[in-house]
Amino acid sequence: VGQGDGTLVVAPTGEALLIDGGPRDAAGVVRSAISTFARGRLDAVVLSHTDADHLGALVELLQGEDGSPGTSDDLTPLAASTYADDGGCDSQLCDDARDLLAWPFETAQVGDVLPLGDALVEIVASDGDLGAGQLAGVDGDNERSVVVRVSFGGRTVLVTGDLTGGGLGDADLELPLANRIGRVD
């Protein structure tokens, strides 16, 4: 997707999960990947946070072929999760997301499991919560990223959004999360 994040996970049984979507101009690439690798199927989406390079193509994809959110051709996956929408994002892109028929997305909670065939998809961090409640001083979008762990066939992949590792005034969430969840591939 170029600058940004967009991860398509397809289970052996065909179910498809899109984690973020990259920037708006990546919508064609994302749509093509879903068509090619998931036979056009999109069962679940996770939005890690509302930065444009994660949300843009997701909005373009979910608003359907007419390019207008909130119309009958919007895509509405069976499951859609994100961190708590506190209204802090006031961009046109966020307004478009809030107008989607799929909105509001469910607020992701640590421990949530998303349906994806035989793969295990777990929310391991959301809204600054790593499993014991929201950490003090966590208020930025990146710090609040939804983090997804996907396990299948003896392998584990972690998709972290833009979770912060400290520095530049941001909280270190990476190290405590790593200590809590252990090894990933």
Side-chain angles (χ1 to χ4, degrees), residues 57-115:
L58 186 59
V59 168
E60 292 292 320
L61 179 70
L62 294 181
Q63 67 188 8
E65 292 297 321
D66 71 0
S68 296
T71 60
S72 62
D73 76 334
D74 281 15
L75 299 179
T76 53
L78 299 175
S81 298
T82 190
Y83 69 83
D85 180 12
D86 62 3
C89 180
D90 60 0
S91 69
Q92 182 61 52
L93 183 58
C94 285
D95 288 345
D96 289 349
R98 290 182 188 109
D99 288 341
L100 292 167
L101 291 183
W103 199 268
F105 288 6
E106 293 290 323
T107 300
Q109 303 291 325
V110 174
D112 285 354
V113 175
L114 299 175

Side-chain angles (χ1 to χ4, degrees), residues 9-181:
V9 181
V10 182
T13 49
E15 295 88 356
L17 162 68
L18 181 63
I19 305 169
D20 294 333
R24 268 198 148 137
D25 63 1
V29 171
V30 174
R31 189 173 283 114
S32 177
I34 292 169
S35 177
T36 300
F37 299 111
R39 297 181 314 263
R41 181 177 179 160
L42 188 59
D43 299 285
V45 298
V46 172
L47 173 62
S48 66
H49 63 297
T50 56
D51 284 356
D53 61 343
H54 293 253
L55 174 60
L58 186 59
V59 168
E60 292 292 320
L61 179 70
L62 294 181
Q63 67 188 8
E65 292 297 321
D66 71 0
S68 296
T71 60
S72 62
D73 76 334
D74 281 15
L75 299 179
T76 53
L78 299 175
S81 298
T82 190
Y83 69 83
D85 180 12
D86 62 3
C89 180
D90 60 0
S91 69
Q92 182 61 52
L93 183 58
C94 285
D95 288 345
D96 289 349
R98 290 182 188 109
D99 288 341
L100 292 167
L101 291 183
W103 199 268
F105 288 6
E106 293 290 323
T107 300
Q109 303 291 325
V110 174
D112 285 354
V113 175
L114 299 175
L116 195 69
D118 293 339
L120 177 60
V121 179
E122 304 168 275
I123 305 298
V124 295
S126 178
D127 206 21
D129 179 1
L130 306 179
Q134 188 179 45
L135 296 175
V138 171
D139 56 8
D141 285 351
N142 291 344
E143 294 170 320
R144 297 174 59 206
S145 288
V146 174
V147 179
V148 179
R149 178 172 52 187
V150 181
S151 304
F152 180 79
R155 298 283 185 203
T156 302
V157 176
L158 191 67
V159 183
T160 62
D162 282 343
L163 195 70
T164 58
L168 302 175
D170 291 326
D172 180 1
L173 293 142
E174 291 176 347
L175 183 59
L177 179 63
N179 288 336
R180 186 176 75 75
I181 66 170

